[in-house]
Amino acid sequence: MADFSLIAQALDQGDRDKTVALTEAALGSGANPQEIIAQGLQAGMAAVGEKFSSGEYFLPDMLMAARAMKAALEVLAPALEQTGIPTIGKVVIGTVEGDMHDIGKNVVATFLSGNGFEVFDLGLNVPAQKFIDEVKEKKADILGMSALLTTTMPVMGRVIKGLEEAGLRSSVKVVVGGAPVTQDYANYIGADGYAHDGGRAVPVCRELIGK
Amino acid sequence: MNAKTNGEKPDLTPRRRFLANLMGGRKGKRISASNPTSVACVELIEKVGVHFPEAHTDARAMAELAAAGYEVLGFDTIMPEFSVQQEAAALGCEVNWGNDNMMPETMTHPVKSPGDVVIPDNLLEKPSIKVVLDAISLLRHEYGDRVAILGKVMGPWTICYHTVGVEDFLILVRLDPDQVRAYLEAYMPVTIAIANAQLRAGADAVVLPDHATGAMVSAGTYAEFLVPVHHRMLAQIGGPTILHICGKCLDRIPDIATEGYDGYHFEWQNDPKKAVEAAGGQVSLLGGISNIEALLQGTPDDVHRQARYNIEAGVDSIGPECAISLQTPLENLKAIIAAAEEGY
Ligand code: B12
Ligand SMILES: [Zn+2]
C-alpha cells in the first residue's frame, strides 16, 4: 500500500525526483493511477495553492511544484492510456489581446490543471474571436480570462458579448482575474466568477461547475 | 521639522526642488511632483500630436512627448523612456513596439543559459539605447536650466525576465541559485554602462526598475540575490539613482533602504506611512499615488486625498506609482501637482 501523502509532500516541496520515485513505486505496487493523482499529486498541488494564497510560497515554489507534477504525470501516462487523465472539467484560458502579462494566468492554469481540470492555455495577447472559437471547439465548461492592464480589461467584456452573439454564453462559465480586476468589475461585465489569486481560482471554478 | 523658521521658505526651481527631495536635502515651500516612470496617456498624446510607436523609437518624438509631462501637466521632472523594453531590444529580443493603445512587449526570450549572454560592443549605439541617450541630450539642452531630467535603465533582474523569460528565470531561484547569480553578474555591466551613459548625456538622476516584487519572490530572495548585486552596481554608477519596484514591497523596504539608492519609487498599496517608517530616512520615497484606484478610476478629489496623505506621511516626492494607464484623465494627473502646490 503506497503512501500517497508522501507523494503530496514531495510535490509540495517541489522535489521532482522524489515525486517521480514515489509515483513509480506506487504504480509498481499496483496502486490505481487515478488515486495516485487525486490523493497524491492533486492533494500536493492544493497544499501549494493554499500556501501561495497565504503568502508563504512564491512563484519559484509554485514553478518547482508544477515541474514535479509534470514529471510524475509522464510516469503515469502509459497506465492512463485507456482511461486518460481523469478530469473534472475543461477550461480554456488566456490573457486578452493587447496584454503581455501572463505570469498570473500561468499560475491559475497550473493550479487548475494540478487540481484535476483539463486546461487549454491559449497563451497571451489572445484575440477575442480566438477565445470564442476555442470555447466552441473544446466544448469548454469554463472560460478563464486574465487582464493586467486597464486598457485590456474591457476586452473581457467584449468576449462575453461575443459568446452571447455566438449562442455559447449559456454553455460556458466565465471567470476573470488579474491585478486590476475586482469582483465588482466581474459582475459589471457579466462574468460568472472572479478570483483574487491562483489558489482561490480552484474552489471558484469547482463551485461554478458543481464539482 | 523645526517648529519655527524665520520668514518665507525659498521657492526652488523644479529641478532643485526635485533634487533636494531626492537627496534628502532642504525642503522649500512645497514638495516636488515627479514621474520616475511614464506619464504618457492618450489625452497627452493627442494634445502634443506625438504618437506611439514613434515616441519609443525617435529621439525627437520621445523628448517632445516626455516634455509634455512638464509643459502640460507641471511635473518637476521629465522622464523620456516610456517602455521597459529598450535593453531587451538591444540584447537580442524581438520587440513589438505597439501603438497608442498598446505598450510594447518582448516577443522572444532567446537566452537559455548564462553562457548565452552576449553584450554587444556597441551597446550604447544600439538604436533602442541610443534613442534614449539622444532624447536626454535634447531635453538637457532645452530644459536643463529648470527641470530635472531623468534617465531610466532596467536592472539585471528585470533584464533576465525579458531575455530568459520570467518563469524560466524565476524557477532557477530554487533549482539553481548559482545560475541566477551568474545571470545577474552577466547583465550588471549593461545596467551600469547605460546608466552612466545617460548621466553623461545629461540626466540628473537615473531610474533603475528591477521588478523583484512581493507577488513574485519573497523578501528573503530579495535579500539573498538582489541586495549584493545592487550594492556593487551602485558603487559603479556615478550619479543619483532611484529604484523602481511596483507591487507589494513593504517587507523588503528595510533592505532597499540599505542598498545605497537615493530614492525608491513605490506603490500606494504599501501604506505610505508604513513605507516611510520602513525606509527609516535612509532612502527618499517617491510616487505613492495609486494608478488604478485614484488616477484612472478616481476623481481629482481622490487623487488629492492620496497626495496629501503621502505628504503628511513624509514621502519625499509625490507622483504616480508606476507607468500610468494609457486612459488616465489629464485632470487627475493635474490634481497631483495642485496638491503639491498647497505646500507641506
Ligand atoms: C511583472 C510585471 C510586468 C512584467 C510582465 C512579464 C510577464 N510575462 O507577465 C513586465 C516587466 C514585462 C511588465 C510590462 C508592463 N507593465 Co507590468 N507589471 C508587472 C507587476 C510588477 C507584477 C505582475 C505579476 O506578474 N504579478 C504576479 C502574478 C502571480 O500576479 P497577478 O498577475 O496579479 O495574477 C494573480 C491574480 O491576479 C489572479 N489572476 C490573474 N489572472 C487571472 C485569470 C483568472 C481567470 C483568474 C480566476 C485569476 C487570475 O491569479 C494570479 C495568481 O495568483 C505589476 C504590478 C502589480 N501591482 O501587479 C505591473 C503592472 C501590471 N504593469 C503595469 C504596466 C503599466 C506595464 C507596462 C505598460 C509598462 C511599460 N511602461 O511598458 C508594460 C505592459 C506591456 C504589455 N503590453 O502588456 C501596470 C498596469 C497598470 C494598468 N492596470 O493599466 C501594473 C499594475 C503596475 C502599476 N502599479 O501600474 N510588467
Ligand atoms: Zn512598475
Side-chain angles (χ1 to χ4, degrees):
Chain A
M1 178 57 212
D3 191 348
F4 298 132
S5 72
L6 285 179
I7 297 182
Q9 211 176 70
L11 186 120
D12 179 10
Q13 289 161 355
D15 189 332
R16 181 186 64 180
D17 295 347
K18 200 166 162 191
T19 309
V20 165
L22 289 170
T23 302
E24 275 166 351
L27 199 58
S29 72
N32 177 339
Q34 316 252 4
E35 278 174 17
I36 301 179
I37 292 177
Q39 293 162 41
L41 302 177
Q42 289 175 0
M45 210 53 166
V48 174
E50 272 163 33
K51 291 179 186 171
F52 185 81
S53 290
S54 72
E56 187 184 337
Y57 277 6
F58 291 87
L59 275 175
D61 309 302
M62 196 273 312
L63 293 166
M64 290 294 281
R67 173 173 170 270
M69 178 131 189
K70 189 165 167 244
L73 285 176
E74 273 163 26
V75 170
L76 296 175
L80 288 166
E81 217 147 77
Q82 310 298 319
T83 52
I85 297 178
T87 68
I88 56 175
K90 286 186 193 170
V91 183
V92 164
I93 193 168
T95 299
V96 300
E97 185 157 25
D99 204 317
M100 303 289 177
H101 292 87
D102 65 349
I103 304 167
K105 181 268 295 167
N106 294 350
V107 169
V108 173
T110 303
F111 282 131
L112 288 177
S113 69
N115 282 280
F117 285 91
E118 186 179 3
V119 176
F120 302 93
D121 186 348
L122 308 183
L124 47 74
N125 196 18
V126 179
Q129 191 57 45
K130 175 92 175 153
F131 279 117
I132 296 163
D133 293 346
E134 291 291 319
V135 163
K136 189 169 178 187
E137 197 196 307
K138 300 292 180 331
K139 298 195 170 59
D141 302 297
I142 294 176
L143 169 64
M145 288 183 283
S146 181
L148 271 278
L149 296 170
T150 40
T151 27
T152 57
M153 275 163 62
V155 180
M156 303 193 296
R158 259 176 265 148
V159 173
I160 293 177
K161 286 246 154 58
L163 287 170
E164 280 164 13
E165 283 156 20
L168 293 165
R169 186 62 187 90
S170 59
S171 67
V172 64
K173 299 290 182 193
V174 179
V175 288
V176 295
V181 180
T182 58
Q183 180 68 57
D184 282 349
Y185 190 79
N187 297 344
Y188 167 71
I189 60 171
D192 303 300
Y194 159 81
H196 175 268
D197 64 63
R200 268 171 265 186
V202 178
V204 167
C205 288
R206 276 178 176 275
E207 193 161 316
L208 281 177
I209 59 168
K211 294 282 167 78
Chain B
M1 275 291 84
N2 290 334
K4 249 195 172 146
T5 45
N6 296 329
E8 284 266 283
K9 284 198 167 190
D11 192 10
L12 307 175
T13 61
R15 185 177 178 208
R16 290 176 61 219
R17 186 184 296 139
F18 173 74
L19 286 173
N21 287 163
L22 176 61
M23 304 307 280
R26 76 181 63 85
K27 291 179 169 169
K29 268 186 181 159
R30 49 157 281 208
I31 195 168
S32 61
S34 56
N35 59 306
T37 49
S38 164
V39 283
C41 56
V42 174
E43 278 187 49
L44 199 64
I45 287 170
E46 274 160 12
K47 213 162 194 132
V48 285
V50 170
H51 294 267
F52 289 134
E54 290 74 36
H56 297 300
T57 53
D58 177 85
R60 204 158 278 283
M62 185 179 258
E64 205 176 323
L65 182 56
Y70 163 74
E71 296 279 5
V72 177
L73 298 171
F75 279 95
D76 295 305
T77 58
I78 301 178
M79 197 292 297
E81 187 174 315
F82 306 108
S83 92
V84 292
Q85 274 82 21
Q86 310 292 135
E87 304 73 24
L91 292 168
C93 301
E94 246 172 68
V95 172
N96 168 359
W97 291 104
N99 53 46
D100 281 351
N101 298 303
M102 194 200 133
M103 284 304 236
E105 187 48 33
T106 306
M107 310 304 288
T108 55
H109 313 291
V111 173
K112 302 288 168 231
S113 81
D116 288 350
V117 175
V118 181
I119 298 169
D121 290 336
N122 61 346
L123 178 69
L124 302 177
E125 294 296 317
K126 291 280 179 186
S128 61
I129 304 300
K130 187 163 184 300
V131 65
V132 180
L133 296 175
D134 290 348
I136 291 172
S137 301
L138 287 169
L139 289 165
R140 165 94 294 154
H141 214 76
E142 193 110 350
Y143 295 95
D145 57 348
R146 287 162 284 157
V147 189
I149 314 293
L150 302 184
K152 193 171 93 182
V153 53
M154 300 304 127
W157 189 272
T158 289
I159 292 179
C160 289
Y161 284 174
H162 293 144
T163 60
V164 183
V166 180
E167 282 140 12
D168 288 347
F169 176 64
L170 284 182
I171 196 171
L172 297 175
V173 166
R174 283 205 37 200
L175 206 54
D176 193 351
D178 282 339
Q179 260 199 64
V180 174
R181 282 184 272 270
Y183 273 127
L184 297 178
E185 199 65 38
Y187 284 124
M188 188 172 73
V190 172
T191 305
I192 295 170
I194 297 174
N196 282 329
Q198 292 183 346
L199 291 166
R200 282 196 300 273
D204 289 300
V206 183
V207 182
L208 302 164
D210 224 6
H211 300 93
T213 185
M216 301 168 92
V217 297
S218 69
T221 298
Y222 190 88
E224 183 182 347
F225 294 97
L226 283 291
V227 172
V229 171
H230 286 179
H231 261 295
R232 283 186 295 126
M233 183 175 86
L234 292 175
Q236 298 176 64
I237 296 177
T241 52
I242 301 162
L243 176 70
H244 167 83
I245 307 181
C246 41
K248 218 196 295 175
C249 289
L250 210 49
D251 60 0
R252 58 210 67 186
I253 292 181
D255 278 317
I256 290 171
T258 63
E259 289 185 291
Y261 288 101
D262 301 295
Y264 168 53
H265 184 219
F266 77 108
E267 266 195 29
W268 165 257
Q269 63 170 294
N270 309 286
D271 175 25
K273 283 199 180 115
K274 291 188 186 145
V276 167
E277 204 181 287
Q282 296 189 79
V283 64
S284 292
L285 290 174
L286 291 74
I289 298 174
S290 157
N291 277 0
I292 315 270
E293 253 175 79
L295 288 169
L296 180 78
Q297 295 168 352
T299 61
D301 274 350
D302 296 326
V303 175
H304 182 268
R305 214 169 305 123
Q306 285 198 1
R308 293 307 309 177
Y309 184 90
N310 272 285
I311 296 170
E312 268 143 42
V315 165
D316 299 278
S317 179
I318 54 170
E321 62 191 5
C322 179
I324 60 163
S325 168
L326 287 168
Q327 307 99 328
T328 306
L330 289 188
E331 57 167 359
N332 280 354
L333 291 165
K334 287 182 179 159
I336 301 176
I337 285 82
E341 279 171 349
E342 289 170 6
Y344 282 104

